[in-house]
Amino acid sequence: MRAKRMARLIGYSLLQAGPVLVVATFMVFALMQLVPGDVAIALAGENATRARVEEIRILYGLDRPILAQYGSWLWKMAQGDMSVSMLSAEPVFDSIQRRLPVTLLVVGLAMLASLAVGIPLGLTAAMHPRRLVDFVVTAFASLGIALPGFWLGMILVSIFAMSLNWFPVSGMAKMATDPWGAVWHAILPAVALAASGAAEVARQTRSALLEIQSSQYMRTLLAKGLPQSQIFWKHGLKNISVTLLTVTGLLFNRLLGGTVVIEAVFAISGMGSLVVTAATGKDYPVIQGVMLTMVVIVVAVNLVIEILYAVFDPRITTR
Amino acid sequence: MAVSSLLDVDNLGIFFETPRGMVPTVSGISFSVRPGERVGIVGESGCGKTVTGLSLLGLLPPQVARVSGRALFEGRNLLTMSRSQLRRLSGAGIGMIFQEPMRALDPVFTIGEQISETLRAHTDVSRREARLRSIAALAEVGIPSPERRYDDYPHILSGGMQQRVMIAMALICRPRLLIADEPTTALDVTVQAQIIDLLHRLSDERGMALLFITHDLGVVAELCTRVLILYAGQIVEDAAIESVYRAPKHPYTAALFQSMPRLSLRGKPLPVIGGRVPGFADMPGGCRFRDRCAYAQPGCVRKPELESYDDRRVRCFRACDLTLPGAV
Amino acid sequence: MSRFQAIPGIHVCLRRLGFHLSLGYLVFLLLLAICAPWIAPHSPTLQNPSHVLLPADGTYLLGTDDLGRDVFSRLVWGAPLTLYGSLLAVLVACGIGLPLGLIAGFSGGWIDAAISRGIDTMLSFPAIVLAIGVTGMLGIGQTNSMIAVGIVFSPTIARLVRGQTLIGREALYVDAARCFGASNSRLILRHILPNAIQPVIVQATLLLAMALLAEASLSFLGLGVQPPQPGWGAMLARGYHYMEIAPSQIYAPGIAILVTALSVNTLGENLRVILDPRRRR
């Protein structure tokens, strides 16, 4: 019966993710509509001849209705053909493929650090409400949320890379040939990125545990005479895991965005520097490619979380 | 009396720390429950009946609640015993059920797991044995096909079934006393009657005492043998159920009866008790019911004590000279 | 029966202190931004090749940058730019989010479904990436980039307003206003909007802090404030290049961003408590 429920939930979540992907890809496609003036001129370059502009118009199908354009664009994207960069003429798919692992490495490390620091801090604060620990954690969280990650990155560089020489100042090692070197390079960026993440996680964990502690079922568990440790480790943890899953999903989204700025500080050539260069240079295909990749990743992560959610919370049904 | 009683509460007081200092919510509560006896605690919401029940198992929020007095259960003081002693007694010697079963059950564990973990916390039984006994307990509280329900989550069940699960869970270790905090208030009337019958039967079969907290005098009449009437944090009347119904001695008790719907009142407006329960932070001196009492006299500005009259205890200066209408 | 009131402990006192401090700071910052031309001792853009990377002294309170510009003056001039950018983003977010949320909540049906799906989808993009993408399409520059940030933040407001509108609409069915033939727009303006406005104020304040950080980030990336304008994020980007020679120059703009974002957040959290209708006080 449980297997059946799970199968139904997975199917349902996949069905849910479908429309989100359609709308998301349409949004990425429709971004081009924001370009001021004639898109064909923008794509051809300002000095292009009239004939060249018309050629581009036909080539990109800009003369066709927008939904038809979207359809063929999506079809190309689905096949991995993301067109070529207007600046470097490199296929967008190739540069994304090269840069994505670097970004995911930094984000992954930052996720681990945020959760590993944020969850224990939040739990500790909630277990001693209104005590000094609670105050310190809350203050740390407020500070962390207001802290510009890229500025923290600079300070980390000046201390740990320039003065102490513990870590490399910038750049990234080749992941395929030197995986440990890559991790080594990713540590400072991940820390800079994780500060605000850990703060947010600590805050959410704290309020979730406080809410659980004041719930009526916690009172029942006390009235049943369960040992304190069992109440916390069995009931508290399983109940809070539901919240933590949601937090993890939001955290991933947040860190994936934050890494864009952090990559600039550490001169890492990941997705962030790619999209920033593209935005500065009006390289529209690259902008679209990066955004598409990122939204697909986020939707996929959310899908996994949705399914895990159902494992932890029996109340979630397909309705 | 102390020898024969199961629970002996003496001068219980509960205080809450508020921005305006310590505020007493109940004070001078003394009563006793004999083994197998069913006692009702009745009062309006906010009179302190729920905190009284919670205080016995140490369930009040420790940051803000302070408890004074004594509550002896089988000769041991619940209010001063260590946390681990109280833990071993909770669920095993004293069970407790609550007002909203949906919120009182942990939503992410199966009902079977929640019952067997209670058993396993107090006795040394195997997982298998715990499962079998939990299923038996589910059957005993009248849950159909208990083997299948064992693996259900609370949200699937109806409110009445959830309360039955709560009862099975509270009784799995065969406690000598069950504290029931408005267990039927959140339920439909027909389900209410079933739960009352169930509690009645289980208490009879097991010789289990019952402390039944409610605002409903009618329910108490069906279930209990004795009733404590609480008003503004004090016991105002303590008597056997028949004598209270026939002839209440405290004007508040009588007023409660008057405001109960009954057939003889059909077509007439239901009498209500005028005024409001005074707040604990600004409690009047003297008799606390004075301002709402139809029989108040100038002498009522003095503080009345809970005194014995014949078969009962009453907190009223006029207990001897008043003849008040009962429910029959 | 669980209305146990909290005691005002040290945490409440600290919260009030934080509220007053942040309010005071923000008023100060606003005055600073308005009076920047009179407060700044030097021109923020005047280059002086003979006074490059000077340490702090009596003339240059925070030293000079690599082009010989006074860092303190640039910091002061950065305040109006930063505030303008952040407020613009919040205004755009409210300008798009409020009507969308009202329409979705009030009309229901497929319109609501479409708008809600759009909101959900926009929220699945990492915010800053979406902002960069929109900026790239609109063209870089402070106004464009902050409009982009505003667009990216608008679903948050829309979702909130939609929820509030739904609550307001439910209450209205009990209300007689409908029976008296009041028009829809009148219903929205007179009955629904006032109820939705308080949470929007709180949310907008919290968004302001996020907009501030986004402004700094985008300026740092070179997509927002353009040189020679003295944005705080842009100052950090510039200072970062010669951090090895003059490390102190990255402190002042960073602290300015941190303290401002912290103050706005503190203000928002306090507004949430003060404006909470469940707390009658």
Side-chain angles (χ1 to χ4, degrees), chain A residues 2 129 216-217 219-228 230 234-235 238-239 242 312-315 317, chain B residues 54 59 83 87 90-91 98 100 103-110 113-114 117-118 121-122 153 155 166 169:
Chain A
R2 282 199 181 166
Q216 296 193 12
Y217 58 80
R219 197 172 64 183
T220 310
L221 298 177
L222 279 172
K224 296 202 298 194
L226 288 200
Q228 199 69 45
Q230 198 181 344
K234 183 176 172 184
H235 291 268
K238 188 164 180 190
N239 273 288
V242 178
F312 283 99
D313 193 343
R315 284 165 296 184
T317 49
Chain B
L54 290 176
L59 298 177
R83 272 179 92 92
R87 180 188 78 68
S90 311
F98 300 94
E100 290 172 273
R103 296 171 64 187
L105 287 164
D106 187 332
V108 301
F109 284 90
T110 64
E113 174 60 27
Q114 295 189 54
E117 74 176 356
T118 317
H122 295 288
Y153 288 94
H155 70 278
M166 283 296 294
M169 196 161 79

Side-chain angles (χ1 to χ4, degrees), chain B residues 300-313:
Chain B
C300 294
V301 291
R302 284 174 298 133
K303 190 170 180 265
E305 294 300 326
L306 189 63
E307 283 174 57
S308 298
Y309 295 90
D310 309 332
D311 54 339
R312 65 180 94 190
R313 296 184 298 159

Side-chain angles (χ1 to χ4, degrees), chain A residues 127 131 213 218-219 221-232, chain B residues 56-63 65-66 76-91 121-122:
Chain A
M127 280 189 284
R131 299 288 184 73
Q213 278 174 339
M218 279 289 151
R219 197 172 64 183
L221 298 177
L222 279 172
K224 296 202 298 194
L226 288 200
Q228 199 69 45
S229 59
Q230 198 181 344
I231 293 180
F232 179 77
Chain B
L56 295 178
L57 284 183
L59 298 177
L60 294 170
Q63 304 95 332
R66 302 286 172 269
R76 297 195 294 158
N77 191 348
L78 297 170
L79 306 183
T80 54
M81 67 171 56
S82 74
R83 272 179 92 92
S84 65
Q85 281 174 317
L86 188 61
R87 180 188 78 68
R88 278 194 288 273
L89 202 56
S90 311
H122 295 288

